[in-house]
Amino acid sequence: MMAGRQDGKTAVEDNELVTITLSRDKRQAAVEVGSALGDARVVALTSHVNPDGDGIGSEIALVHILRALGKEPSIANPTPTPGRFEFLFRDLPGIDRSTEAVKAIRRADLIVVLDIADTGRLGHLGPAVVERGVPVICVDHHASPGTLPPGPRYVDPRAAATGELVYELAVANEWPLLVPTARALYVALLTDTGGFRFSNTHPRTLRIAADLLETGIDPESIYLDVYANAPEGRPRLLAETLETLVVEPELGLAWVTVPPGAMERHGLTPDDLEGVVEFPRAIAGVRMAILFRELSQGRVKVSLRSVGDVDVARFAHALGGGGHAKAAGVAVPGTLAQVQTQILRAAREYLAGNGRPQ
Ligand code: AMP
Ligand code: MN
Ligand code: MN
């Protein structure tokens, strides 16, 4: 167990040091989350549609913590777990109840929403979460004020990943930080920082990653599980998508498009597109990179990335989406051609006006 120390630091399992400290406000918010969890028995953990390494890593970490506290947690996501994260579930048979998520939500006496604050991004689970009428804890690092039902909040847009916030909750509440918990949180940090490369890789992020490594987890084996265990179709889809690259150097705009039907043809899921938008973003002079992907129900997913001071969260917000300054997204109704025309026109205007918040 962690034990509080007089110098404000906390020891994890005897002598290993936790190197971060928490403000008084954060500590208080964290303790409120901890006491709500303490009062609960059946806890449903959920995250956004197409859950990523941050959402799933945060969920798995909380599963281990809650089990150690004698609770009955389950994971109930609106869409299935990508194959690359299955290794995190190996020692947790039956914990992923995403195929019957509504049922899991209806049984819960507490719901924890991770890595989003908007009911809309819960897909078909949104109404179930609202109707359940139990407190909803939200742990998130997006700037959106959120539309979830009431409950304790632990939200900090300065955090690189929701996993960072789960780590802080563990420190503040003196929850045990065991190896499987540390591994899951490391996945959260690793994936949301693009392998500790993006601008959200703060000194604090690396301090937390270091604390996690102190438990003895192996960064290479985690890297191999997450990034080097791809189905053959993934690089094939990447090749087909990169073929579509268009660059407009005058404004610093570049985009790629997933060829309609290509994901199905290769038997892939949206998770297999992780990182593809980094290719147009990595071209010299590009300030905004876009990935277009046709969704079902006449909508198109638009993934946005920026370089320098272009704020794509603001751009996405104006269209009904959200995200962070350098990584945002929105689902826009219309055909692929219509949405491309609309978004590219808006992006050119945005970049011509410099793309910064006024
Ligand atoms: P993605 O392009 O899907 O990797 O998403 C990048 C960032 O934008 C993430 O932080 C998401 O939370 C956010 N985001 C993506 N799609 C949406 C959406 N439809 N609505 C709000 N935020 C989104
Ligand atoms: Mn996420
Ligand atoms: Mn995240």
Side-chain angles (χ1 to χ4, degrees):
M1 288 288 288
M2 297 182 179
R5 292 175 9 151
Q6 287 193 337
D7 58 5
K9 294 188 174 170
T10 308
V12 188
E13 309 262 31
D14 302 332
N15 294 322
E16 288 158 354
L17 280 185
V18 166
T19 55
I20 61 154
T21 51
L22 285 175
S23 68
R24 197 196 295 193
D25 284 357
K26 277 192 128 178
R27 199 169 276 276
Q28 190 181 336
V31 168
E32 278 169 28
V33 168
S35 89
L37 286 168
D39 293 340
R41 192 178 64 83
V42 182
V43 183
L45 307 168
T46 190
S47 187
H48 54 76
V49 288
N50 300 321
D52 53 26
D54 188 24
I56 289 175
S58 298
E59 288 175 338
I60 294 283
L62 278 173
V63 161
H64 288 292
I65 289 167
L66 289 170
R67 282 204 167 165
L69 297 174
K71 310 294 174 189
E72 208 186 296
S74 69
I75 292 176
N77 288 329
T79 55
T81 301
R84 73 167 92 213
F85 303 118
E86 268 162 21
F87 74 102
L88 292 173
F89 291 76
R90 244 174 246 151
D91 49 351
L92 296 168
I95 204 78
D96 191 354
R97 304 203 41 219
S98 299
T99 52
E100 38 175 12
V102 171
K103 236 160 107 186
I105 298 280
R106 287 196 182 134
R107 263 194 76 227
D109 45 51
L110 183 70
I111 298 168
V112 184
V113 175
L114 295 150
D115 202 34
I116 31 162
D118 286 309
T119 314
R121 292 262 288 144
L122 283 171
H124 73 288
L125 296 184
V129 167
V130 173
E131 282 157 22
R132 180 70 187 118
V134 296
V136 175
I137 292 176
C138 174
V139 185
D140 184 32
H141 67 131
H142 292 91
S144 152
T147 55
L148 291 169
R153 295 285 177 266
Y154 196 78
V155 177
D156 184 357
R158 291 166 304 180
T162 299
E164 223 180 278
L165 302 176
V166 172
Y167 181 77
E168 292 181 355
L169 290 173
V171 170
N173 287 288
E174 303 190 0
W175 290 333
L177 188 77
L178 306 175
V179 165
T181 315
R183 184 184 297 118
L185 293 179
Y186 188 85
V187 168
L189 268 57
L190 178 77
T191 52
D192 255 28
T193 57
F196 302 110
R197 288 176 301 176
F198 299 155
S199 61
N200 57 357
T201 310
H202 307 297
R204 185 181 182 83
T205 314
L206 292 176
R207 283 197 184 96
I208 294 176
D211 290 350
L212 298 172
L213 288 178
E214 290 287 358
T215 65
I217 55 170
D218 175 5
E220 189 189 15
S221 84
I222 295 174
Y223 161 74
L224 292 173
D225 277 320
V226 174
Y227 293 112
N229 195 20
E232 179 182 327
R234 193 186 292 164
R236 295 197 185 283
L237 177 72
L238 172 66
E240 288 183 31
T241 304
L242 294 184
E243 279 284 347
T244 70
L245 174 69
V246 183
V247 186
E248 292 185 353
E250 307 74 28
L251 286 171
L253 180 62
W255 68 92
V256 290
T257 309
V258 180
M263 290 225 309
E264 295 77 7
R265 185 158 35 78
H266 290 295
L268 299 176
T269 67
D271 170 72
D272 290 296
L273 288 166
E274 187 66 43
V276 172
V277 69
E278 293 305 316
F279 287 88
R281 186 200 210 181
I283 298 166
V286 164
R287 298 157 67 217
M288 189 194 288
I290 311 179
L291 171 79
F292 293 98
R293 173 170 66 88
E294 224 175 20
L295 301 173
S296 53
Q297 300 147 353
R299 293 179 314 147
V300 175
K301 170 72 194 272
V302 181
S303 283
L304 301 150
R305 298 293 185 273
S306 65
V307 176
D309 55 7
V310 174
D311 182 348
V312 281
R314 194 167 144 264
F315 182 83
H317 237 273
L319 297 156
H324 312 274
K326 291 188 175 170
V330 57
V332 183
T335 65
L336 186 57
Q338 284 167 345
V339 172
Q340 277 190 318
T341 306
Q342 177 199 342
I343 295 298
L344 292 171
R345 187 179 300 146
R348 288 179 193 116
E349 252 173 52
Y350 194 66
L351 289 171
N354 270 328
R356 293 184 202 117
Q358 302 302 308

